[in-house]
Amino acid sequence: MNSIRTYIILLFLVFGLQQVQSQSYQFKTSGFSVLEKNERGKWGEWSNLDLVNLSVILDTNKHRIVVYSQEIQLFNILNYIEREENDTDVVYSFMCKDNDGRECKLSIITRKKQEYRKQLYINYDDHIIVYNMTSV
């Protein structure tokens, strides 16, 4: 009986330690907007916010960020940029490559003065996508 109890305790410890070491963060989106450069290279206006309910996973063990949209957006993290913080924002940024091999910068921004609202910015040279998110 003691060996079974010991085995069960060891099993719980092993699974518990795996979760502690795992660095996976889940988010749900509520909307997105797009900003594009025009033919002269000037930034235009943000598009209207479209409501969308998607999952976003930041997995630091696999070094990737995945946006589960109709076409899955996979971003392999090439470089972790040092965390930035000021009076209004906390910013975690990552240099990435997308599904097509294009480099981009992803930033998860927490807006301190907006009830700690979270946003994901996907920055390319010619356009930016922003998702409003909440932690799951």
Side-chain angles (χ1 to χ4, degrees), residues 75-91:
F75 301 94
N76 289 306
I77 299 171
L78 305 173
N79 188 23
Y80 294 81
I81 298 171
E82 190 172 331
R83 175 181 175 258
E84 299 174 38
E85 184 170 0
N86 56 40
D87 291 341
T88 59
D89 301 319
V90 178
V91 181

Side-chain angles (χ1 to χ4, degrees), residues 87-105:
D87 291 341
T88 59
D89 301 319
V90 178
V91 181
Y92 293 91
S93 294
F94 315 87
M95 291 307 298
C96 300
K97 273 199 177 177
D98 68 10
N99 303 29
D100 299 324
R102 292 181 59 194
E103 287 194 17
C104 54
K105 180 180 177 182

Side-chain angles (χ1 to χ4, degrees), residues 24-73:
S24 182
Y25 304 91
Q26 293 186 310
F27 304 94
K28 284 287 183 192
T29 66
S30 58
F32 80 99
S33 184
V34 178
L35 176 65
E36 295 180 299
K37 282 187 178 178
N38 63 25
E39 55 278 348
R40 295 186 206 156
K42 302 274 186 195
W43 289 107
E45 299 288 324
W46 284 102
S47 67
N48 290 331
L49 186 71
D50 286 331
L51 301 180
V52 64
N53 183 14
L54 306 173
S55 291
V56 175
I57 307 290
L58 163 60
D59 188 337
T60 58
N61 287 333
K62 295 182 180 176
H63 306 289
R64 68 183 187 185
I65 298 170
V66 183
V67 179
Y68 289 95
S69 54
Q70 187 172 359
E71 183 178 322
I72 293 176
Q73 301 170 60

